[in-house]
Amino acid sequence: LPGIFVLLSLSDDYVRSTNEDARKGGAVALAACAIGLKKADEREWDVLECRDLILASVVHACQDHSQRVRYYATESLFNVTKVIPSLAVQHFFILFEILRSLYADVDLDVRSGAELLDKKLKEVIVVAINSGSFSADACIPVFARFVYMRHKATKQLTLTWLREFSEKLIGAPILEFLHLFLGGIFAMVADPNPTIRQLAIEFLQSVLPKLLVNNQDFEDADAQQKIDFDKILQSLVLTMEHPDPFVRKVAMYWMSRIVQAHMSQAFPSSGTKGAEGTDETMGVESIRGESGIDISFSSGGRTPR
C-alpha cells in the first residue's frame, strides 16, 4: 500500500503538474519504479495495481503538449515495456495507439524514441504469440483496418508490423487474415510515398512463398490453417482493375502462382511447376525482369501514376 501512495503522488503531483520539469521527472521516476517491480510477484493484487498505475501515468505523459516531456515519457514507456513485458502484452492495444501517435510526432527526437519503442514492442508481442500467451487473432484484424487509412505514418507503421508477423510468427498465422487487407497492400504499391511503396513490395515478396506452401483451402477439413483462397482471389480480381499498370501486373502474377500451386497439388502428374520451383522473390523481381520496369525506389525508380 505505501508503494501505491508513492505512485499516486508521482502521477498526480508530478506527471500532471503545471511545471514541465516536474512532468519530465515524474515520467522518469515511474520507469524507475517499474524496474523496481520487475521481480515482484504478479499474483499480489497491490503489485498489479502498481503496474497498471505506472503504465497509465506514463501513457498520459506520452500525450503531453511539451515535446521534451513526450520524449522522456517515450523513453520511460520503452523501459516499462522492457522490464515488464507481460504488462505490455496485457495492454497491447493501448500501447499501439500511443505508438501510432508518437510515430507521427512533429519532434524528431520523439519519433526516434518511438522507433526504439516500436522495435521493443514488436519483440515482446512476437515472443508472446509464439509462446501462446497472446493471440495473433486478436491483433491482425486491427492492423487490417489501419492498412486502409490515409495517414502516412500509420500505414508505414502497420506495414512494418505485418511484415514482422509474416517473417517471425511460427506457423504463419497471418495467412488466415490475408484476404482482409491484401487489397490495401497492393494499393500501397502505387503509393506516392517511396518508403510505403518499398515496404509494400517487401511484404508481398515475404508472404507469397508462405502462401504457396500453405495452399490448402479453408474448406479442407485436414488443413492446419484456414486460408480463404476464394476471398484472396476475389481481392486479386478487384486489384486487376487498379489504375496503375504495375499493380495490375503484380496482381496477375500472384493469381497465376496461386492457381498454379493448386493445380500442381490437384494434378501432381501434370508436370505443372509447384511452389518449390518458384524464384525466391516470388513475382516482383521476375516481373521487373520480364517487363523491364524498375522498382528500385531507393535509386529513383518509377513513380506510379
Side-chain angles (χ1 to χ4, degrees), residues 28-50:
V28 173
L30 286 167
C33 292
I35 295 173
L37 287 172
K38 179 180 180 180
K39 296 182 179 181
D41 188 351
E42 294 185 358
R43 293 171 296 182
E44 298 290 336
W45 72 268
D46 54 335
V47 172
L48 296 176
E49 288 281 335
C50 288

Side-chain angles (χ1 to χ4, degrees), residues 104-293:
D105 200 277
V106 296
D107 184 73
L108 178 60
D109 291 336
V110 174
R111 293 200 302 273
S112 297
E115 290 176 2
L116 294 175
L117 173 61
D118 175 46
K119 184 178 179 180
K120 176 54 65 176
L121 189 57
K122 283 189 177 93
E123 177 185 318
V124 167
I125 296 301
V126 166
V127 169
I129 293 176
N130 284 337
S131 65
S133 58
F134 192 56
S135 172
D137 299 7
C139 52
I140 294 179
V142 176
F143 294 151
R145 177 169 58 88
F146 291 143
V147 163
Y148 293 96
M149 288 188 173
R150 294 185 177 182
H151 194 262
K152 180 181 70 175
T154 294
K155 289 196 293 186
Q156 184 173 329
L157 178 64
T158 303
L159 277 169
T160 64
W161 273 84
L162 289 174
R163 185 176 180 188
E164 187 85 1
F165 279 16
S166 172
E167 294 179 348
K168 296 186 178 180
L169 291 187
I170 297 173
I174 194 172
L175 298 179
E176 297 183 26
F177 304 94
L178 187 61
H179 63 280
L180 296 176
F181 56 85
L182 186 60
I185 301 292
F186 270 100
M188 291 185 198
V189 173
D191 195 275
N193 182 277
T195 301
I196 291 176
R197 292 200 304 267
Q198 186 63 39
L199 287 171
I201 288 289
E202 290 173 355
F203 175 79
L204 292 176
Q205 290 177 338
S206 170
V207 79
L208 182 56
K210 298 178 178 62
L211 192 63
L212 297 182
V213 171
N214 297 273
N215 58 7
Q216 293 175 301
D217 195 85
F218 76 105
E219 295 178 348
D220 188 342
D222 297 326
Q224 294 181 350
Q225 289 183 306
K226 303 300 181 182
I227 304 173
D228 196 334
F229 279 98
D230 286 346
K231 290 185 179 178
I232 290 175
L233 292 174
Q234 288 173 15
S235 179
L236 292 173
V237 169
L238 292 175
T239 302
M240 289 179 190
E241 300 178 2
H242 195 280
D244 188 279
F246 183 62
V247 174
R248 296 198 301 269
K249 197 172 185 72
V250 177
M252 289 176 64
Y253 184 87
W254 263 60
M255 178 167 286
S256 70
R257 296 307 305 145
I258 292 173
V259 171
Q260 190 178 51
H262 277 74
M263 289 294 289
S264 66
Q265 183 186 37
F267 306 102
S269 61
S270 64
T272 304
K273 189 177 181 181
E276 295 81 7
T278 59
D279 57 272
E280 292 182 358
T281 54
M282 290 296 173
V284 177
E285 290 295 332
S286 60
I287 287 173
R288 179 170 62 178
E290 294 169 5
S291 64
I293 296 174

Side-chain angles (χ1 to χ4, degrees), residues 46-67:
D46 54 335
V47 172
L48 296 176
E49 288 281 335
C50 288
R51 290 182 174 184
D52 288 345
L53 181 56
I54 289 172
L55 183 64
S57 301
V58 173
V59 164
H60 177 84
C62 287
Q63 303 170 77
D64 197 277
H65 60 81
S66 166
Q67 296 173 353

